[in-house]
């Protein structure tokens, strides 16, 4: 469990987080959450790679679903990064919520 009084308050920009989130994982690196970046980046890269493989094999029925998978990964990463930004910008000692 994270102790809120032990962390350092930082002022991270939500605009910067939003702009960096177009590449999943990059906004998490900006916020200092390397492990989460190492989760979102390979998921997005794997989705793009799978889409390319399906395109080369001309499996058009599955090819239609892949942009939605990439959009879902991006959306989850964006929401997670923005909520982490809110948490990081809290004054020290103030509980979230």
């Amino acid at each position: 469990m994270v102790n809120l009084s032990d962390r350092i308050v930082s002022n991270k920009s939500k605009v910067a987080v939003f702009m960096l989130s177009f590449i999943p994982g990059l906004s998490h690196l900006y916020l200092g959450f390397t492990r989460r970046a190492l989760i979102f980046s390979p998921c997005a890269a794997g989705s793009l790679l799978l889409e390319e493989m399906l395109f080369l094999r001309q499996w058009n029925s599955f090819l239609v679903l892949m942009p939605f998978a990439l959009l879902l990964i991006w959306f989850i990463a964006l929401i997670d990064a923005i909520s982490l930004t809110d948490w990081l910008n809290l004054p020290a000692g103030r509980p979230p919520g």
Side-chain angles (χ1 to χ4, degrees):
M1 179 155 181
V2 177
N3 188 358
L4 288 176
S5 60
D6 291 343
R7 70 182 172 85
I8 298 172
V9 178
S10 63
N11 291 324
K12 299 290 185 174
S13 170
K14 281 189 180 181
V15 174
V17 167
F18 178 76
M19 296 303 287
L20 292 172
S21 72
F22 283 102
I23 299 174
L26 197 56
S27 58
H28 289 85
L29 283 176
Y30 168 71
L31 294 173
F33 290 91
T34 308
R35 286 185 183 169
R36 290 187 185 197
L38 292 175
I39 292 171
F40 286 116
S41 295
C43 285
S47 176
L48 288 172
L49 182 64
L50 186 61
E51 183 177 2
E52 184 64 29
M53 287 173 37
L54 291 174
F55 178 73
L56 291 176
R57 296 196 186 266
Q58 296 182 356
W59 289 358
N60 295 332
S61 58
F62 291 112
L63 189 60
V64 174
L65 298 175
M66 293 313 296
F68 294 111
L70 188 59
L71 184 64
L72 181 66
I73 293 168
W74 173 77
F75 187 70
I76 291 170
L78 173 67
I79 296 300
D80 185 49
I82 288 178
S83 64
L84 286 172
T85 305
D86 287 339
W87 182 76
L88 285 173
N89 289 339
L90 282 176
R94 183 176 156 214

Coordinates of all heavy atoms in Angstrom, one line a residue:
M1 N 0.8 -1.2 0.0 CA 0.0 0.0 0.0 C 0.9 1.2 0.0 O 1.9 1.3 0.7 CB -0.9 0.0 1.2 CG -1.8 1.2 1.3 SD -3.2 0.8 2.2 CE -4.1 2.3 2.2
V2 N 0.5 2.2 -0.8 CA 1.3 3.4 -0.9 C 0.8 4.4 0.2 O -0.3 4.7 0.4 CB 1.0 4.1 -2.3 CG1 1.7 5.4 -2.4 CG2 1.4 3.1 -3.4
N3 N 1.8 5.0 0.9 CA 1.6 6.0 1.9 C 1.6 7.3 1.2 O 2.6 7.7 0.7 CB 2.6 5.8 3.0 CG 2.3 6.7 4.2 OD1 1.3 7.5 4.2 ND2 3.1 6.7 5.2
L4 N 0.5 8.1 1.3 CA 0.4 9.4 0.6 C 1.4 10.4 1.2 O 1.8 11.3 0.5 CB -1.0 9.9 0.6 CG -2.0 9.1 -0.3 CD1 -3.4 9.7 -0.1 CD2 -1.6 9.3 -1.8
S5 N 1.6 10.3 2.5 CA 2.5 11.3 3.1 C 4.0 11.1 2.7 O 4.7 12.1 2.9 CB 2.3 11.3 4.6 OG 2.7 10.0 5.1
D6 N 4.4 10.0 2.2 CA 5.8 9.7 1.9 C 6.1 10.1 0.4 O 7.3 10.2 0.1 CB 6.1 8.2 2.0 CG 6.1 7.8 3.5 OD1 6.2 8.7 4.4 OD2 6.0 6.6 3.8
R7 N 5.1 10.4 -0.4 CA 5.4 10.6 -1.8 C 5.7 12.1 -2.0 O 5.2 13.0 -1.2 CB 4.3 10.2 -2.7 CG 3.0 11.0 -2.5 CD 1.9 10.4 -3.4 NE 0.7 11.0 -3.2 CZ 0.3 12.2 -3.7 NH1 1.1 12.8 -4.6 NH2 -0.8 12.7 -3.5
I8 N 6.3 12.4 -3.1 CA 6.7 13.8 -3.4 C 5.6 14.3 -4.4 O 5.3 13.6 -5.4 CB 8.1 13.9 -4.1 CG1 9.1 13.4 -3.1 CG2 8.3 15.3 -4.6 CD1 10.5 13.3 -3.7
V9 N 5.0 15.5 -4.1 CA 4.0 16.0 -4.9 C 4.7 16.6 -6.2 O 5.7 17.4 -6.0 CB 3.2 17.1 -4.2 CG1 2.2 17.7 -5.1 CG2 2.5 16.5 -3.0
S10 N 4.1 16.3 -7.3 CA 4.7 16.9 -8.5 C 3.5 17.5 -9.3 O 2.4 17.1 -9.2 CB 5.4 15.9 -9.4 OG 4.5 14.9 -9.8
N11 N 3.8 18.5 -10.1 CA 2.8 19.1 -10.9 C 3.0 18.7 -12.4 O 3.8 19.3 -13.1 CB 2.9 20.7 -10.8 CG 2.4 21.2 -9.5 OD1 1.5 20.6 -8.9 ND2 3.1 22.2 -9.0
K12 N 2.3 17.6 -12.7 CA 2.3 17.1 -14.1 C 1.1 17.7 -14.9 O 0.0 17.7 -14.4 CB 2.3 15.6 -14.1 CG 3.4 14.9 -13.3 CD 4.7 15.1 -14.1 CE 5.8 14.4 -13.4 NZ 7.1 14.4 -14.2
S13 N 1.4 18.0 -16.1 CA 0.4 18.6 -16.9 C -0.6 17.6 -17.5 O -0.1 16.6 -18.1 CB 1.0 19.4 -18.0 OG 0.1 19.8 -19.0
K14 N -1.9 17.8 -17.4 CA -2.8 16.9 -18.1 C -2.8 17.0 -19.6 O -3.0 16.0 -20.3 CB -4.2 17.1 -17.6 CG -4.5 16.6 -16.3 CD -6.0 16.7 -16.0 CE -6.4 16.2 -14.6 NZ -7.8 16.3 -14.4
V15 N -2.4 18.2 -20.1 CA -2.3 18.4 -21.5 C -1.2 17.6 -22.1 O -1.3 16.9 -23.1 CB -2.2 19.9 -21.9 CG1 -1.9 20.1 -23.3 CG2 -3.4 20.6 -21.4
A16 N 0.0 17.6 -21.4 CA 1.1 16.8 -21.8 C 0.8 15.3 -21.7 O 1.2 14.6 -22.6 CB 2.3 17.2 -20.9
V17 N 0.1 14.9 -20.7 CA -0.2 13.5 -20.6 C -1.1 13.1 -21.7 O -1.0 12.0 -22.3 CB -0.9 13.2 -19.2 CG1 -1.6 11.9 -19.2 CG2 0.1 13.3 -18.1
F18 N -2.1 13.9 -22.1 CA -3.0 13.6 -23.2 C -2.2 13.6 -24.5 O -2.5 12.6 -25.3 CB -4.1 14.7 -23.3 CG -5.0 14.5 -24.4 CD1 -6.0 13.5 -24.4 CD2 -5.0 15.2 -25.6 CE1 -6.9 13.2 -25.4 CE2 -5.8 15.0 -26.6 CZ -6.8 14.0 -26.6
M19 N -1.3 14.5 -24.7 CA -0.6 14.5 -26.0 C 0.3 13.3 -26.1 O 0.5 12.7 -27.1 CB 0.2 15.8 -26.1 CG -0.6 17.0 -26.2 SD -1.8 17.0 -27.6 CE -0.7 17.3 -29.0
L20 N 1.0 12.9 -25.0 CA 1.9 11.8 -25.0 C 1.1 10.4 -25.0 O 1.7 9.4 -25.4 CB 2.8 11.8 -23.7 CG 3.8 12.9 -23.7 CD1 4.5 13.0 -22.3 CD2 4.8 12.8 -24.8
S21 N -0.1 10.5 -24.7 CA -0.9 9.2 -24.6 C -1.2 8.7 -26.0 O -1.7 7.5 -26.1 CB -2.2 9.4 -23.8 OG -3.1 10.1 -24.5
F22 N -1.0 9.4 -27.1 CA -1.3 8.9 -28.4 C -0.4 7.8 -28.8 O -0.7 7.0 -29.7 CB -1.2 10.0 -29.5 CG -2.4 10.9 -29.4 CD1 -2.4 12.1 -28.8 CD2 -3.6 10.4 -30.0 CE1 -3.5 12.9 -28.8 CE2 -4.8 11.2 -29.9 CZ -4.7 12.5 -29.4
I23 N 0.8 7.7 -28.1 CA 1.6 6.5 -28.1 C 1.5 5.8 -26.8 O 2.0 6.3 -25.8 CB 3.1 6.8 -28.4 CG1 3.2 7.5 -29.8 CG2 4.0 5.6 -28.4 CD1 4.6 8.0 -30.1
P24 N 0.7 4.7 -26.7 CA 0.4 4.1 -25.4 C 1.7 3.7 -24.7 O 2.6 3.1 -25.2 CB -0.4 2.8 -25.8 CG -1.0 3.1 -27.1 CD 0.0 4.0 -27.8
G25 N 1.8 4.1 -23.4 CA 2.9 3.9 -22.6 C 3.8 5.1 -22.4 O 4.5 5.3 -21.4
L26 N 3.8 6.0 -23.4 CA 4.7 7.2 -23.3 C 4.2 8.1 -22.2 O 5.1 8.7 -21.5 CB 4.7 7.9 -24.7 CG 5.8 8.9 -24.9 CD1 7.2 8.2 -24.7 CD2 5.7 9.5 -26.3
S27 N 3.0 8.3 -22.0 CA 2.5 9.2 -20.9 C 2.8 8.6 -19.5 O 3.1 9.3 -18.6 CB 1.0 9.4 -21.0 OG 0.3 8.2 -21.0
H28 N 2.8 7.2 -19.4 CA 3.2 6.6 -18.2 C 4.7 6.8 -17.9 O 5.1 7.0 -16.7 CB 2.9 5.1 -18.2 CG 1.4 4.9 -18.1 ND1 0.6 4.9 -19.3 CD2 0.6 4.6 -17.1 CE1 -0.6 4.6 -18.9 NE2 -0.7 4.5 -17.6
L29 N 5.5 6.8 -18.9 CA 6.9 7.1 -18.7 C 7.1 8.5 -18.2 O 8.0 8.8 -17.4 CB 7.7 6.9 -20.0 CG 8.0 5.5 -20.4 CD1 8.7 5.4 -21.8 CD2 8.9 4.8 -19.3
Y30 N 6.4 9.5 -18.8 CA 6.4 10.9 -18.4 C 6.0 11.0 -16.9 O 6.6 11.8 -16.2 CB 5.5 11.7 -19.3 CG 5.2 13.1 -18.8 CD1 6.2 14.1 -18.9 CD2 3.9 13.4 -18.3 CE1 5.9 15.4 -18.4 CE2 3.7 14.7 -17.9 CZ 4.7 15.7 -17.9 OH 4.4 17.0 -17.5
L31 N 5.1 10.2 -16.5 CA 4.6 10.3 -15.1 C 5.5 9.5 -14.1 O 5.4 9.6 -12.9 CB 3.2 9.7 -15.0 CG 2.1 10.6 -15.7 CD1 0.8 9.8 -15.6 CD2 2.0 11.9 -15.0
G32 N 6.4 8.7 -14.7 CA 7.4 7.9 -13.8 C 6.9 6.5 -13.5 O 7.4 5.9 -12.6
F33 N 5.9 6.0 -14.2 CA 5.4 4.7 -14.0 C 5.9 3.8 -15.1 O 5.2 3.4 -16.0 CB 3.8 4.7 -13.9 CG 3.3 5.4 -12.7 CD1 3.0 6.7 -12.7 CD2 3.1 4.6 -11.6 CE1 2.5 7.3 -11.6 CE2 2.5 5.3 -10.4 CZ 2.3 6.6 -10.5
T34 N 7.1 3.3 -14.9 CA 7.8 2.5 -16.0 C 7.1 1.2 -16.2 O 7.0 0.7 -17.3 CB 9.3 2.3 -15.6 OG1 9.8 3.6 -15.4 CG2 10.0 1.7 -16.8
R35 N 6.7 0.5 -15.1 CA 6.1 -0.8 -15.2 C 4.8 -0.7 -16.0 O 4.6 -1.6 -16.8 CB 5.8 -1.4 -13.8 CG 7.1 -1.9 -13.1 CD 6.7 -2.5 -11.8 NE 7.9 -2.9 -11.1 CZ 7.9 -3.3 -9.9 NH1 6.8 -3.4 -9.2 NH2 9.0 -3.7 -9.3
R36 N 4.0 0.3 -15.8 CA 2.8 0.4 -16.5 C 3.1 0.7 -18.0 O 2.4 0.2 -18.9 CB 1.9 1.4 -15.9 CG 1.3 1.0 -14.6 CD 0.3 2.0 -14.1 NE -0.1 1.6 -12.8 CZ -1.2 2.0 -12.2 NH1 -2.0 2.9 -12.8 NH2 -1.5 1.6 -11.0
A37 N 4.1 1.5 -18.3 CA 4.5 1.7 -19.6 C 4.9 0.5 -20.3 O 4.7 0.3 -21.5 CB 5.6 2.8 -19.7
L38 N 5.6 -0.4 -19.6 CA 6.1 -1.7 -20.2 C 4.9 -2.7 -20.3 O 5.1 -3.7 -20.9 CB 7.2 -2.3 -19.3 CG 8.5 -1.5 -19.3 CD1 9.5 -2.1 -18.3 CD2 9.1 -1.5 -20.7
I39 N 3.8 -2.4 -19.8 CA 2.6 -3.2 -20.1 C 1.8 -2.6 -21.3 O 1.5 -3.4 -22.2 CB 1.6 -3.2 -18.8 CG1 2.3 -3.9 -17.7 CG2 0.3 -3.8 -19.2 CD1 1.6 -3.8 -16.4
F40 N 1.6 -1.3 -21.4 CA 0.8 -0.8 -22.4 C 1.5 -0.7 -23.8 O 0.9 -1.0 -24.8 CB 0.3 0.6 -22.1 CG -0.8 0.7 -21.0 CD1 -0.6 1.2 -19.8 CD2 -2.0 0.1 -21.3 CE1 -1.6 1.2 -18.9 CE2 -3.0 0.1 -20.4 CZ -2.8 0.7 -19.1
S41 N 2.8 -0.5 -23.8 CA 3.5 -0.4 -25.1 C 3.6 -1.7 -25.8 O 3.2 -1.7 -27.0 CB 5.0 0.1 -24.8 OG 4.9 1.4 -24.3
P42 N 3.9 -2.8 -25.2 CA 3.9 -4.1 -25.9 C 2.5 -4.5 -26.4 O 2.3 -5.2 -27.4 CB 4.5 -5.1 -25.0 CG 5.3 -4.3 -24.0 CD 4.6 -3.0 -23.9
C43 N 1.5 -4.2 -25.6 CA 0.1 -4.5 -26.0 C -0.3 -3.8 -27.3 O -0.8 -4.4 -28.2 CB -0.9 -4.1 -24.9 SG -0.9 -5.3 -23.5
A44 N 0.1 -2.5 -27.3 CA -0.3 -1.7 -28.5 C 0.6 -2.2 -29.7 O 0.1 -2.4 -30.8 CB 0.0 -0.3 -28.3
A45 N 1.9 -2.5 -29.5 CA 2.7 -2.9 -30.6 C 2.3 -4.3 -31.0 O 2.3 -4.6 -32.2 CB 4.2 -3.0 -30.1
G46 N 1.9 -5.2 -30.1 CA 1.4 -6.5 -30.5 C 0.1 -6.4 -31.3 O -0.1 -7.2 -32.2
S47 N -0.7 -5.5 -30.9 CA -2.0 -5.3 -31.7 C -1.7 -4.9 -33.1 O -2.3 -5.4 -34.1 CB -2.8 -4.3 -31.0 OG -4.0 -4.0 -31.7
L48 N -0.7 -3.9 -33.3 CA -0.4 -3.5 -34.6 C 0.3 -4.6 -35.4 O 0.1 -4.8 -36.6 CB 0.6 -2.3 -34.5 CG -0.1 -1.0 -34.1 CD1 1.0 0.1 -33.9 CD2 -1.1 -0.5 -35.1
L49 N 1.2 -5.4 -34.7 CA 1.8 -6.5 -35.4 C 0.8 -7.6 -35.9 O 0.9 -8.1 -37.0 CB 2.9 -7.1 -34.5 CG 3.7 -8.3 -35.1 CD1 4.5 -7.8 -36.3 CD2 4.6 -8.9 -34.0
L50 N -0.1 -7.9 -35.0 CA -1.2 -8.9 -35.3 C -2.0 -8.4 -36.5 O -2.4 -9.1 -37.4 CB -2.0 -9.2 -34.1 CG -3.0 -10.3 -34.2 CD1 -2.4 -11.6 -34.6 CD2 -3.8 -10.4 -33.0
E51 N -2.3 -7.1 -36.5 CA -3.1 -6.5 -37.6 C -2.3 -6.6 -38.9 O -2.9 -6.9 -39.9 CB -3.4 -5.0 -37.3 CG -4.3 -4.4 -38.3 CD -4.6 -3.0 -37.9 OE1 -4.2 -2.4 -36.9 OE2 -5.4 -2.3 -38.7
E52 N -1.0 -6.4 -38.9 CA -0.2 -6.5 -40.1 C -0.2 -7.9 -40.6 O -0.3 -8.2 -41.8 CB 1.2 -6.0 -39.8 CG 2.1 -6.0 -41.0 CD 1.6 -5.0 -42.1 OE1 1.0 -4.0 -41.8 OE2 1.9 -5.3 -43.3
M53 N -0.1 -8.9 -39.6 CA 0.0 -10.3 -40.0 C -1.4 -10.7 -40.6 O -1.4 -11.5 -41.6 CB 0.3 -11.2 -38.8 CG 1.8 -11.0 -38.4 SD 2.2 -11.9 -36.9 CE 1.2 -13.3 -36.8
L54 N -2.5 -10.3 -40.0 CA -3.8 -10.6 -40.6 C -4.0 -10.0 -42.0 O -4.6 -10.6 -42.8 CB -4.9 -10.1 -39.6 CG -5.0 -10.9 -38.3 CD1 -6.0 -10.2 -37.4 CD2 -5.3 -12.3 -38.5
F55 N -3.4 -8.8 -42.2 CA -3.5 -8.1 -43.5 C -2.8 -8.9 -44.5 O -3.2 -9.1 -45.6 CB -3.0 -6.7 -43.4 CG -3.0 -5.9 -44.7 CD1 -4.2 -5.5 -45.2 CD2 -1.9 -5.7 -45.4 CE1 -4.3 -4.8 -46.4 CE2 -1.9 -5.0 -46.6 CZ -3.1 -4.6 -47.1
L56 N -1.6 -9.3 -44.2 CA -0.8 -10.1 -45.2 C -1.4 -11.4 -45.5 O -1.2 -11.9 -46.6 CB 0.6 -10.3 -44.6 CG 1.5 -9.0 -44.5 CD1 2.8 -9.3 -43.9 CD2 1.7 -8.4 -45.9
R57 N -2.1 -12.0 -44.6 CA -2.7 -13.3 -44.8 C -4.2 -13.1 -45.4 O -4.8 -14.1 -45.6 CB -2.8 -14.2 -43.5 CG -1.4 -14.5 -43.1 CD -1.5 -15.6 -42.1 NE -0.2 -15.9 -41.5 CZ 0.6 -16.8 -41.9 NH1 0.3 -17.5 -43.0 NH2 1.8 -17.0 -41.3
Q58 N -4.6 -11.9 -45.5 CA -5.9 -11.5 -46.0 C -7.1 -12.2 -45.3 O -8.0 -12.7 -45.8 CB -6.0 -11.8 -47.5 CG -5.0 -11.0 -48.3 CD -5.1 -11.3 -49.8 OE1 -5.8 -12.1 -50.2 NE2 -4.3 -10.5 -50.5
W59 N -7.0 -12.1 -43.9 CA -8.1 -12.6 -43.1 C -8.9 -11.4 -42.7 O -8.8 -10.8 -41.6 CB -7.6 -13.3 -41.8 CG -6.9 -14.6 -42.0 CD1 -6.8 -15.3 -43.2 CD2 -6.3 -15.4 -41.1 NE1 -6.2 -16.4 -43.0 CE2 -5.9 -16.6 -41.7 CE3 -6.1 -15.3 -39.7 CZ2 -5.2 -17.6 -41.1 CZ3 -5.5 -16.3 -39.1 CH2 -5.0 -17.5 -39.7
N60 N -9.7 -11.0 -43.7 CA -10.4 -9.7 -43.5 C -11.5 -9.7 -42.4 O -11.8 -8.7 -41.9 CB -11.1 -9.3 -44.8 CG -10.1 -9.1 -45.9 OD1 -9.0 -8.7 -45.6 ND2 -10.4 -9.3 -47.2
S61 N -12.0 -10.9 -42.0 CA -13.0 -10.9 -41.0 C -12.4 -10.5 -39.6 O -13.0 -9.8 -38.8 CB -13.6 -12.3 -40.9 OG -12.6 -13.3 -40.7
F62 N -11.2 -10.9 -39.4 CA -10.5 -10.5 -38.1 C -9.9 -9.2 -38.2 O -9.7 -8.5 -37.2 CB -9.4 -11.6 -37.7 CG -10.0 -12.9 -37.3 CD1 -9.8 -14.0 -38.1 CD2 -10.7 -13.0 -36.1 CE1 -10.3 -15.2 -37.7 CE2 -11.3 -14.2 -35.7 CZ -11.0 -15.3 -36.5
L63 N -9.5 -8.8 -39.4 CA -8.8 -7.5 -39.6 C -9.7 -6.3 -39.2 O -9.2 -5.3 -38.8 CB -8.4 -7.4 -41.1 CG -7.5 -6.2 -41.5 CD1 -6.2 -6.3 -40.8 CD2 -7.3 -6.2 -43.0
V64 N -11.0 -6.5 -39.3 CA -11.9 -5.4 -39.0 C -11.9 -5.1 -37.5 O -12.1 -4.0 -37.0 CB -13.4 -5.8 -39.5 CG1 -14.4 -4.8 -39.0 CG2 -13.4 -5.9 -41.0
L65 N -11.6 -6.2 -36.7 CA -11.7 -6.0 -35.2 C -10.4 -5.4 -34.6 O -10.5 -4.8 -33.5 CB -11.9 -7.4 -34.6 CG -13.2 -8.1 -34.9 CD1 -13.2 -9.5 -34.3 CD2 -14.4 -7.2 -34.5
M66 N -9.3 -5.4 -35.3 CA -8.0 -5.0 -34.7 C -8.0 -3.5 -34.4 O -7.4 -3.1 -33.4 CB -6.9 -5.4 -35.6 CG -6.7 -6.9 -35.7 SD -6.7 -7.7 -34.1 CE -5.3 -7.0 -33.3
P67 N -8.5 -2.6 -35.3 CA -8.5 -1.2 -34.9 C -9.3 -0.9 -33.6 O -8.9 -0.1 -32.8 CB -9.2 -0.5 -36.1 CG -8.9 -1.4 -37.2 CD -9.0 -2.8 -36.7
F68 N -10.3 -1.7 -33.4 CA -11.1 -1.6 -32.1 C -10.3 -2.0 -30.9 O -10.4 -1.4 -29.8 CB -12.4 -2.3 -32.2 CG -13.4 -1.7 -33.2 CD1 -13.7 -2.4 -34.4 CD2 -13.9 -0.5 -33.0 CE1 -14.5 -1.9 -35.3 CE2 -14.8 0.1 -34.0 CZ -15.1 -0.7 -35.1
A69 N -9.5 -3.1 -31.1 CA -8.6 -3.5 -30.0 C -7.5 -2.4 -29.7 O -7.3 -2.2 -28.5 CB -7.9 -4.8 -30.4
L70 N -7.0 -1.9 -30.7 CA -6.0 -0.8 -30.5 C -6.6 0.4 -29.9 O -6.0 1.0 -29.0 CB -5.3 -0.4 -31.8 CG -4.1 0.5 -31.8 CD1 -3.0 -0.1 -30.9 CD2 -3.6 0.8 -33.1
L71 N -7.8 0.8 -30.3 CA -8.5 1.9 -29.7 C -8.9 1.6 -28.2 O -8.7 2.5 -27.4 CB -9.8 2.1 -30.5 CG -10.7 3.3 -30.0 CD1 -9.9 4.6 -30.2 CD2 -12.0 3.4 -30.8
L72 N -9.2 0.4 -27.9 CA -9.5 0.0 -26.5 C -8.2 0.1 -25.6 O -8.3 0.7 -24.5 CB -10.1 -1.4 -26.4 CG -10.4 -1.9 -25.1 CD1 -11.6 -1.1 -24.5 CD2 -10.8 -3.4 -25.1
I73 N -7.1 -0.3 -26.2 CA -5.8 -0.2 -25.4 C -5.5 1.2 -25.2 O -5.1 1.6 -24.1 CB -4.7 -1.0 -26.2 CG1 -5.0 -2.5 -26.2 CG2 -3.3 -0.7 -25.6 CD1 -4.1 -3.2 -27.1
W74 N -5.6 2.0 -26.2 CA -5.3 3.5 -26.1 C -6.2 4.1 -25.1 O -5.8 4.9 -24.3 CB -5.5 4.2 -27.5 CG -5.3 5.6 -27.4 CD1 -4.2 6.3 -27.2 CD2 -6.4 6.6 -27.3 NE1 -4.4 7.7 -27.1 CE2 -5.8 7.9 -27.2 CE3 -7.8 6.5 -27.4 CZ2 -6.5 9.0 -27.1 CZ3 -8.5 7.7 -27.3 CH2 -7.9 8.9 -27.2
F75 N -7.5 3.8 -25.1 CA -8.5 4.5 -24.2 C -8.2 4.1 -22.8 O -8.2 4.9 -21.9 CB -9.9 4.1 -24.6 CG -10.9 4.8 -23.8 CD1 -11.2 6.1 -24.0 CD2 -11.7 4.1 -22.9 CE1 -12.1 6.8 -23.3 CE2 -12.7 4.8 -22.2 CZ -12.9 6.2 -22.4
I76 N -7.9 2.8 -22.5 CA -7.6 2.4 -21.1 C -6.3 3.0 -20.6 O -6.2 3.5 -19.5 CB -7.5 0.8 -21.1 CG1 -8.9 0.2 -21.3 CG2 -6.9 0.4 -19.8 CD1 -8.8 -1.3 -21.5
A77 N -5.3 3.1 -21.5 CA -4.0 3.8 -21.1 C -4.2 5.3 -20.9 O -3.7 5.8 -19.9 CB -3.0 3.6 -22.2
L78 N -5.1 5.9 -21.6 CA -5.4 7.3 -21.4 C -6.1 7.6 -20.1 O -5.7 8.4 -19.3 CB -6.3 7.8 -22.6 CG -6.8 9.3 -22.4 CD1 -5.6 10.3 -22.5 CD2 -7.8 9.6 -23.5
I79 N -7.1 6.8 -19.8 CA -7.8 7.0 -18.6 C -6.9 6.7 -17.4 O -6.9 7.4 -16.4 CB -9.1 6.0 -18.5 CG1 -10.1 6.4 -19.6 CG2 -9.7 6.1 -17.2 CD1 -10.6 7.8 -19.5
D80 N -6.1 5.7 -17.5 CA -5.2 5.3 -16.4 C -4.2 6.5 -16.2 O -3.9 6.9 -15.1 CB -4.5 4.0 -16.7 CG -3.6 3.6 -15.6 OD1 -4.1 3.5 -14.4 OD2 -2.4 3.2 -15.8
A81 N -3.6 7.0 -17.3 CA -2.6 8.1 -17.2 C -3.2 9.4 -16.6 O -2.6 10.0 -15.7 CB -2.0 8.4 -18.5
I82 N -4.4 9.7 -17.0 CA -5.1 10.9 -16.4 C -5.4 10.7 -15.0 O -5.2 11.6 -14.2 CB -6.3 11.3 -17.3 CG1 -5.9 11.8 -18.6 CG2 -7.2 12.3 -16.6 CD1 -6.9 12.2 -19.6
S83 N -5.9 9.5 -14.6 CA -6.2 9.3 -13.2 C -4.9 9.3 -12.3 O -4.9 9.8 -11.2 CB -6.9 8.0 -12.9 OG -6.2 6.9 -13.3
L84 N -3.8 8.8 -12.9 CA -2.5 8.9 -12.2 C -2.0 10.3 -12.1 O -1.4 10.7 -11.1 CB -1.4 8.0 -12.9 CG -1.6 6.5 -12.8 CD1 -0.6 5.8 -13.7 CD2 -1.4 6.1 -11.3
T85 N -2.3 11.1 -13.1 CA -1.9 12.5 -13.0 C -2.7 13.2 -11.9 O -2.1 14.0 -11.1 CB -2.2 13.2 -14.4 OG1 -1.6 12.5 -15.4 CG2 -1.7 14.7 -14.4
D86 N -4.0 13.0 -11.8 CA -4.7 13.5 -10.7 C -4.2 13.1 -9.3 O -4.1 13.9 -8.4 CB -6.2 13.1 -10.8 CG -6.9 13.8 -11.9 OD1 -6.5 14.9 -12.4 OD2 -8.0 13.3 -12.4
W87 N -3.8 11.8 -9.2 CA -3.3 11.3 -8.0 C -1.9 12.0 -7.6 O -1.6 12.3 -6.5 CB -3.1 9.8 -8.1 CG -2.6 9.2 -6.8 CD1 -3.3 9.0 -5.6 CD2 -1.3 8.7 -6.5 NE1 -2.5 8.4 -4.7 CE2 -1.2 8.3 -5.2 CE3 -0.1 8.7 -7.3 CZ2 -0.1 7.7 -4.7 CZ3 1.0 8.1 -6.7 CH2 1.0 7.7 -5.4
L88 N -1.1 12.1 -8.7 CA 0.2 12.8 -8.4 C 0.1 14.2 -8.1 O 1.0 14.8 -7.3 CB 1.1 12.6 -9.7 CG 1.7 11.2 -9.9 CD1 2.4 11.2 -11.2 CD2 2.7 10.9 -8.8
N89 N -0.9 14.9 -8.6 CA -1.0 16.3 -8.3 C -1.8 16.7 -7.0 O -2.0 17.8 -6.7 CB -1.8 17.0 -9.5 CG -0.9 17.1 -10.7 OD1 0.3 17.0 -10.6 ND2 -1.5 17.2 -11.9
L90 N -2.2 15.6 -6.3 CA -2.8 15.9 -5.0 C -1.8 16.5 -4.0 O -0.6 16.1 -4.0 CB -3.3 14.5 -4.4 CG -4.6 14.0 -4.9 CD1 -4.9 12.6 -4.3 CD2 -5.8 14.9 -4.7
P91 N -2.2 17.3 -3.1 CA -1.3 17.8 -2.1 C -1.0 16.7 -1.1 O -1.8 15.8 -0.9 CB -2.2 18.9 -1.3 CG -3.3 19.2 -2.2 CD -3.5 18.1 -3.1
A92 N 0.2 16.7 -0.6 CA 0.7 15.6 0.3 C -0.2 15.5 1.5 O -0.5 16.5 2.1 CB 2.1 15.8 0.7
G93 N -0.5 14.3 1.9 CA -1.3 14.1 3.1 C -2.8 14.1 2.9 O -3.6 13.8 3.7
R94 N -3.3 14.5 1.7 CA -4.7 14.5 1.3 C -5.1 13.2 0.7 O -4.5 12.9 -0.3 CB -5.0 15.7 0.4 CG -6.4 15.8 0.1 CD -6.7 17.1 -0.8 NE -8.0 16.8 -1.5 CZ -8.2 17.2 -2.7 NH1 -7.3 17.9 -3.3 NH2 -9.3 17.0 -3.3
P95 N -6.0 12.5 1.2 CA -6.4 11.2 0.6 C -7.1 11.4 -0.7 O -7.8 12.5 -0.9 CB -7.3 10.6 1.6 CG -7.9 11.7 2.4 CD -6.8 12.8 2.4
P96 N -7.0 10.5 -1.7 CA -7.7 10.6 -2.9 C -9.2 10.5 -2.8 O -9.6 9.8 -1.9 CB -7.1 9.5 -3.8 CG -6.6 8.5 -2.8 CD -6.2 9.3 -1.6
G97 N -9.9 11.1 -3.7 CA -11.4 10.9 -3.7 C -12.2 12.0 -3.1 O -12.1 13.0 -2.7

